[in-house]
Amino acid sequence: MKFGVVVFPGSNCDADCHYAAGNVTGQEVRYVWHEERDLSDLDCVIVPGGFSYGDYLRCGAVARFSPVMEAVVTHAAEGKYVVGICNGFQVLTEAGLLPGALYRNDHLQFVCQPQHLRVEAIDTPFTHFYKPAQVVEFPIAHGEGRYYADPDTLAALEANGQVIFRYCTPAGESTAEANPNGSLNNIAGICNETRNVLGLMPHPERRCDRLVGGTDGKKLFKGIVESMMVRAISMGHR
Amino acid sequence: MATQTSQLDVARELGMNEQEYANVLKILGREPTGTELAMYSVEWSEHCGYPRSRPLLKLFPKTGKYPTRAEGEDAGGFALTDELYVIFKMESHNHPSQVEPKQGAATGIGGILRDIFTMGARPVALLDSLRFGDLDSDIGKHLLAGVVDGIQFYGNCVGVPTVGGEIYFHPSYRDNCLVNVMAVGIADTALLATSKGKGPGNPVLVVGNRTGRDGIGGCSILASHEFSEDDEKRPTVQIGDPFTEKCLIEACMEVLQGDAIVGIKDMGAAGITCTTAEMAAAGGVGMDIDLAKVPMREEGMEPWEIMMSESQERMLVVVQQGREQEVIDIFEKWNLNAAIVGAVVEEQVLRIRFHGEIVAEVPSLSLAESPIYYLPAEEPAWLAKVHATDLTVPPPTDLNTVLLRLLSSPNIASKRWAFRQYDHMVQTNTVVPPGAGDAAVIRVKGTDKGLGMTTDCNSRYCYLDPYVGAQIAVAEAARNLVCVGADPAAVTDCLNFGKPEKPDRFWQLKRAVEGIADACRAFNVPVVSGNVSLYNEGPDAAIFPTPTIGMVGVLAHVEAHATLAFTAGQIVALVGETRAEMGGSEYLAVEHGLEAGYPPSLELPRELAVQNFVLAAIQQGLLTTAHDCSEGGLAVTLAESALAGGVGVQANLPAVDGRMDTALFAESQSRIVVAFAPAQQAALTALAAELGVPFTILGATGGEHIRLTVAEAPAIDLPVTTAADAFTGAIAAALAE
């Protein structure tokens, strides 16, 4: 099983994702330079956080035109896994792999803090090791994380169970006070219709070690590895 | 004669004095060209050459308990292990931030980061020590908001966590804010780079950003003169591009993995002038440079402008002859310019060409060897009056209100409003984040070690006595480190003072430097890097003397660390003793508008004993909570630990002089509040006795109130939530007004 971590100029969580995925799962991880086009050796591609190409135009707006994103779209179309974290989530929405958009936080400030989330769906290749409605704590660190989608899209996301993480209080209530950026429906993370592409603003890679704040993120990386193995076996049977 | 007069006028406009101009004439044996004059003006400015402060800086110790590199490079550091070196430095960006706070702070971050990664060290942490005028003034709010915006804009993008720092407010900074930024990096010792330009024939490259007209004269004109009423200095401020910086970090780290690089230096103040002159001087060589080959951002720039430009995100690199292309390829991979602009030459001369014409030709050592001025120092006459001020105040009637006012005073109140705007977790090493401990702690991946880091200075103490105040700044920095379990290892400093030509200002600088030097010797920590920022004056007066201390310490086993938060069921004790010392206290300033008397006394042996006890106790696993007593005294210290843990505390404070306010709010040094599980009490008491340290049980944690008594008499009783509102909301509320 092999993870790939995309490196755009300006990515700054690439090393963290590489370290977390490798350290937690013991699986192979490699960096994927933004000009690469061949991802055939990879089972799961992580698009990490940062400021791809400086994000001077709009977050993720330039990155979607990079050669590697064409390859990521193909990788996803083959049913393989893609995870976009923070800026990576923004890139995936810009690339059309996930619906909606991430706007500037409603309070107009960058915000970095520990954040409670409720796991809304565990029937994904990413979250199946969590309990239903489990409250986890991943930090957030973004200036543009306010999730927006038009009413029809939003209704479809909710109806299909594509909302995977929601901002909540430590007790698990999705209140306005628990919403750190003004996201619609307190949405922190979503998946695509076929449930093999995940995007989330919070950083699970920052919660993989007790010493630096907790281990709630480990189950996500471990879950991906198990899903990759199951998928490999089932593909083999075909 | 006419031309000579005009060249002298140009020299004056560039910030030079008559003597300096005469020196240039003597060195060259002829009248300087405009470009040469510009070069000498920047290199001999206080900002670059330290002509006024250099004699004092020799007092600093350069070696300490860890192997050290302290001289001759852009930053210094110490050996963490046989394989790893910690490189760090603090630098000021005061005047640019006063003129344009966002870009001033942002480019301050960019500059200090380049000082770190130019040595081959990957930046792993940033800290900011900030000082502004009153928070309730429009200019104070504007500057605070702008500077914090600049830090988050630049720091968040480059992916280096901002893990600590401090923010203070005082009217003396109204016309001259202080923005001192510190960066810490970790290098593979075998790959440490140098800034020596060696090897005649080796090509010289300018890499990174293009060169434009921004920041021309930033160091000579902006940084080396005080502000006056009618200043228009905006064009001298540089513009930052953190995306390019991030790419430059990665490209430099990549290129320094190999051995093609002979020397590399950050282009900070004075741009190409400074880097060519200093790299050539350090290598004992000369350079032949063609400015027409420098990648430009705009057309029509004059050679002197190119030499003086402080455009950001650039480096000068000397490469082994024949290895140019592999270096250029790496920079181009990161979409950065890399242009060969000249070569190292054997003759010790810096020859600058522009479109076939030689525009400057000067001895390369002469630029790097600025004149030295031995300035007169004189104790200010007003100080005796300040010392003699009667500090007797009526005893307060409502101590709850006093504590709430102190907790919400901007100097004490939580700085969460600022640090939640900084990414303080990226790189996933942050063990003790901002606000959680007296210092920040990061782990060092691949080892079981950690690094503690802090910035400190109580400038009110330095105003009252610069020698003692500077010693306290060093002692408090060390105390903050031991409170998280870090052994103090080395110091960087940022000396922010007024105009040195005024003897009272220079006396403050001299006494502060002596205080730092003596305290560092007592702690056996060297000063490995630093920066001097003089001319910090508005039209009316100078700033409080502010020798900011940045200190880094080592956690041998990072698992054994402490935070300042109480947890329920702990016993609370005071290490050290409170004395009747109210001079310079936040209490007298906030409650009575008094900033007078003498600062608290500091006895270094007592301080060391207290610190050794707490450090040993944390290392042995006896303590996980420690918080040093500083502004606001024991009452504020106890309240802050209660608020951090969201738990109450009941404590009985020892009587001092019969007054409750003394026991609660005096700022006596060498005190640390600790909290621990009851099972550890016997071991801690024994350890304190063994080390000869006063150790007094004050009470216990628990409940939902902060209840303090003095000699068993009730003094303070506040719900934790009430205190929390005062403490956490104050800064944001003041900004919203």
Side-chain angles (χ1 to χ4, degrees):
Chain A
M1 298 300 116
K2 196 164 173 184
F3 286 94
V5 178
V6 174
V7 182
F8 298 110
S11 293
N12 66 26
C13 299
D14 45 344
D16 300 353
C17 287
H18 191 290
Y19 183 83
N23 217 34
V24 167
T25 68
Q27 300 294 317
E28 206 180 330
V29 189
R30 75 167 176 94
Y31 289 116
V32 180
W33 185 240
H34 67 125
E35 288 170 340
E36 284 187 45
R37 293 174 190 276
D38 182 3
L39 306 181
S40 57
D41 60 322
L42 301 176
D43 301 286
C44 177
V45 174
I46 301 174
V47 188
F51 291 71
S52 50
Y53 303 97
D55 274 348
Y56 288 135
L57 174 60
R58 188 177 68 240
C59 295
V62 178
R64 65 161 290 206
F65 294 109
S66 63
V68 76
M69 283 314 295
E70 270 179 50
V72 170
V73 169
T74 308
H75 176 92
E78 289 167 358
K80 296 178 191 169
Y81 305 135
V82 178
V83 182
I85 301 168
C86 199
N87 187 234
F89 184 13
Q90 294 160 346
V91 173
L92 296 185
T93 61
E94 289 285 342
L97 282 172
L98 290 170
L102 283 310
Y103 288 179
R104 186 127 191 243
N105 295 346
D106 56 357
H107 47 79
L108 306 181
Q109 283 182 350
F110 190 97
V111 56
C112 175
Q113 62 187 27
Q115 180 68 49
H116 288 97
L117 309 169
R118 196 172 62 231
V119 183
E120 297 290 278
I122 61 163
D123 58 337
T124 75
F126 315 100
T127 52
H128 58 97
F129 278 171
Y130 294 98
K131 296 190 194 84
Q134 183 177 341
V135 176
V136 296
E137 189 248 280
F138 301 164
I140 53 169
H142 59 248
E144 310 196 9
R146 175 161 58 104
Y147 185 76
Y148 175 82
D150 63 72
D152 291 347
T153 306
L154 195 64
L157 280 175
E158 295 285 3
N160 296 339
Q162 286 173 248
V163 176
I164 309 301
F165 294 104
R166 231 184 278 274
Y167 300 115
C168 69
T169 65
E173 294 152 348
S174 285
T175 62
E177 291 70 39
N179 189 339
N181 52 29
S183 288
L184 289 179
N185 296 9
N186 281 38
I187 287 173
I190 58 171
C191 71
N192 62 345
E193 270 183 63
T194 47
R195 304 183 94 70
N196 63 320
V197 177
L198 171 71
L200 73 168
M201 288 312 297
H203 289 271
E205 82 278 14
R206 297 185 182 187
R207 283 296 179 266
C208 290
D209 201 325
R210 187 183 47 76
L211 193 59
V212 292
T215 56
D216 280 355
K218 276 185 166 183
K219 283 182 177 170
L220 190 131
F221 292 98
K222 285 182 175 168
I224 294 170
V225 172
E226 169 137 323
S227 301
M228 295 193 295
M229 287 177 170
V230 170
R231 186 173 179 279
I233 293 164
S234 68
M235 297 292 280
H237 280 302
R238 253 177 241 170
Chain B
M1 273 319 279
T3 51
Q4 260 196 13
T5 312
S6 70
Q7 279 296 69
L8 179 57
D9 285 344
V10 173
R12 283 209 187 97
E13 251 175 68
L14 291 167
M16 293 176 92
N17 62 33
E18 232 162 284
Q19 183 58 49
E20 286 164 342
Y21 183 73
N23 284 359
V24 173
L25 289 179
K26 200 169 143 198
I27 289 166
L28 299 180
R30 59 175 165 81
E31 197 174 296
T33 66
T35 303
E36 288 166 343
L37 207 47
M39 290 162 67
Y40 281 104
S41 79
V42 289
E43 276 298 293
W44 289 0
S45 70
E46 186 58 37
H47 193 78
C48 289
Y50 296 153
R52 292 155 190 86
S53 52
R54 216 176 337 146
L56 294 177
L57 302 180
K58 292 196 174 125
L59 295 174
F60 288 151
K62 293 292 170 192
T63 57
K65 47 184 142 170
Y66 293 80
T68 299
R69 289 179 192 223
E71 277 168 306
E73 299 294 345
D74 283 350
F78 63 90
L80 179 66
T81 65
D82 289 344
E83 293 82 28
L84 296 178
Y85 231 83
V86 179
I87 299 291
F88 66 104
K89 186 183 182 183
M90 182 159 45
E91 206 163 63
S92 62
H93 235 216
N94 304 336
H95 286 184
S97 301
Q98 182 77 22
V99 175
E100 211 295 285
K102 179 173 179 176
Q103 288 299 338
T107 53
I109 306 265
I112 195 64
L113 286 171
R114 286 193 298 283
D115 279 339
I116 303 304
F117 68 81
T118 190
M119 293 193 63
R122 177 171 283 280
V124 294
L126 286 164
L127 302 91
D128 316 285
S129 173
L130 312 177
R131 284 172 172 79
F132 304 99
D134 281 327
L135 185 56
D136 51 16
S137 69
D138 285 347
I139 182 75
K141 286 176 203 174
H142 162 72
L143 290 173
L144 171 66
V147 165
V148 168
D149 193 30
I151 293 168
Q152 70 85 21
F153 159 71
Y154 208 99
N156 293 346
C157 184
V158 294
V160 180
T162 299
V163 297
E166 50 184 352
I167 307 179
Y168 283 98
F169 302 90
H170 188 273
S172 78
Y173 303 109
R174 185 192 61 193
D175 298 315
N176 196 127
C177 68
L178 299 188
V179 175
N180 294 178
V181 291
M182 171 169 160
V184 183
I186 297 177
D188 183 336
T189 305
L191 297 178
L192 273 171
T194 105
S195 63
K196 291 186 179 71
K198 281 187 173 169
N202 281 335
V204 177
L205 282 73
V206 170
V207 304
N209 230 335
R210 291 172 181 274
T211 298
R213 280 199 173 90
D214 49 327
I216 290 173
C219 63
S220 57
I221 297 169
L222 186 55
S224 296
H225 291 274
E226 70 277 22
F227 284 112
S228 54
E229 293 284 8
D230 55 346
D231 280 344
E232 186 46 69
K233 287 176 172 163
R234 200 174 305 267
T236 53
V237 177
Q238 314 89 343
I239 306 297
D241 175 0
F243 168 62
T244 298
E245 178 97 343
K246 171 64 174 162
C247 293
L248 193 57
I249 293 176
E250 298 306 328
C252 286
M253 295 310 296
E254 194 171 328
V255 79
L256 288 168
Q257 290 295 310
D259 59 358
I261 302 292
V262 174
I264 178 167
K265 190 172 178 67
D266 159 44
M267 284 200 212
I272 296 177
T273 301
C274 174
T275 44
T276 51
E278 292 182 14
M279 286 187 80
V285 294
M287 282 186 188
D288 195 321
I289 304 289
D290 184 354
L291 294 179
K293 292 181 176 162
V294 175
M296 304 300 296
R297 188 187 296 150
E298 51 198 302
E299 285 179 14
M301 278 178 73
E302 298 287 326
W304 71 271
E305 291 179 308
I306 302 170
M307 289 302 285
M308 288 186 54
S309 164
E310 294 184 9
S311 288
Q312 298 290 291
E313 294 96 21
R314 299 179 301 160
M315 299 274 201
L316 195 76
V317 186
V318 175
V319 177
Q320 279 191 40
Q321 206 171 354
R323 308 278 301 268
E324 301 87 335
Q325 199 53 46
E326 61 184 279
V327 171
I328 291 170
D329 286 347
I330 290 175
F331 284 97
E332 288 186 345
K333 172 187 159 191
W334 290 96
N335 271 315
L336 297 165
N337 298 290
I340 299 173
V341 298
V344 173
V345 295
E346 193 155 2
E347 190 190 353
Q348 291 181 337
V349 65
L350 195 54
R351 192 173 293 118
I352 310 293
R353 302 168 194 271
F354 190 57
H355 294 302
E357 190 190 334
I358 292 177
V359 293
E361 189 166 18
V362 304
S364 49
L365 294 177
S366 68
L367 283 163
E369 287 174 358
S370 65
I372 291 180
Y373 299 113
Y374 295 91
L375 299 176
E378 195 181 300
E379 183 169 342
W382 48 260
L383 200 52
K385 204 174 132 194
V386 171
H387 285 159
T389 306
D390 182 8
L391 299 182
T392 314
V393 295
T397 49
D398 182 356
L399 289 162
N400 283 339
T401 308
V402 175
L403 180 58
L404 288 176
R405 271 200 293 263
L406 283 172
L407 288 173
S408 62
S409 102
N411 287 341
I412 291 175
S414 165
K415 306 304 184 291
R416 183 168 182 270
W417 173 84
F419 68 67
R420 83 194 279 261
Q421 296 185 56
Y422 308 148
D423 190 340
H424 48 263
M425 305 173 191
V426 65
Q427 299 192 7
T428 62
N429 294 324
T430 310
V431 176
V432 178
D438 281 358
V441 176
I442 63 166
R443 66 171 167 181
V444 180
K445 284 192 184 113
T447 75
D448 59 353
K449 293 180 188 301
L451 295 175
M453 49 196 75
T454 181
T455 65
D456 287 286
C457 180
N458 184 317
S459 62
R460 190 184 293 130
Y461 297 168
C462 297
Y463 159 75
L464 298 176
D465 185 333
Y467 179 79
V468 173
Q471 284 201 321
I472 289 177
V474 175
E476 189 183 347
R479 205 184 308 137
N480 284 334
L481 289 180
V482 305
C483 282
V484 295
D487 177 32
V491 164
T492 183
D493 66 334
C494 213
L495 302 172
N496 308 274
F497 288 81
K499 189 176 184 175
E501 285 80 7
K502 297 181 182 172
D504 60 336
R505 300 343 186 214
F506 195 71
W507 177 83
Q508 291 175 326
L509 173 65
K510 180 168 173 282
R511 290 298 287 158
V513 168
E514 289 165 356
I516 293 170
D518 289 349
C520 284
R521 286 204 167 79
F523 289 102
N524 196 18
V525 291
V527 179
V528 296
S529 60
N531 158 254
V532 180
S533 173
L534 306 181
Y535 304 96
N536 291 291
E537 304 215 2
D540 303 327
I543 58 162
F544 270 5
T546 314
T548 312
I549 300 297
M551 203 182 285
V552 178
V554 174
L555 294 94
H557 302 282
V558 68
E559 288 279 348
H561 64 268
T563 68
L564 62 80
F566 287 152
T567 53
Q570 288 178 315
I571 292 176
V572 177
L574 173 66
V575 186
E577 284 173 325
T578 309
R579 299 176 175 190
E581 297 172 312
M582 300 305 276
S585 65
E586 191 72 11
Y587 165 72
L588 283 186
V590 168
E591 291 294 306
H592 300 283
L594 267 175
E595 296 184 296
Y598 289 92
S601 62
L602 179 70
E603 289 164 28
L604 288 166
R606 180 173 51 141
E607 177 75 44
L608 274 168
V610 165
Q611 291 190 15
N612 288 340
F613 165 72
V614 170
L615 184 59
I618 294 170
Q619 287 172 339
Q620 291 170 27
L622 301 173
L623 281 182
T624 53
T625 302
H627 187 17
D628 102 296
C629 287
S630 57
E631 289 89 359
L634 194 46
V636 165
T637 307
L638 290 163
E640 284 175 344
S641 287
L643 298 181
V647 63
V649 60
Q650 300 78 46
N652 179 49
L653 282 53
V656 182
D657 59 357
R659 286 182 61 125
M660 282 194 171
D661 52 0
T662 309
L664 292 163
F665 307 122
E667 296 179 11
S668 293
Q669 294 299 295
S670 316
R671 293 182 303 163
I672 296 172
V673 166
V674 296
F676 45 87
Q680 314 294 3
Q681 188 175 336
L684 284 165
T685 308
L687 184 61
E690 185 191 324
L691 297 176
V693 174
F695 183 73
T696 311
I697 303 295
L698 300 180
T701 62
E704 291 170 357
H705 280 245
I706 296 166
R707 286 204 179 95
L708 307 182
T709 55
V710 175
E712 303 298 346
I716 281 168
D717 188 347
L718 282 171
V720 171
T721 50
T722 307
D725 288 344
F727 181 68
T728 52
I731 301 261
L735 280 166
E737 269 171 21

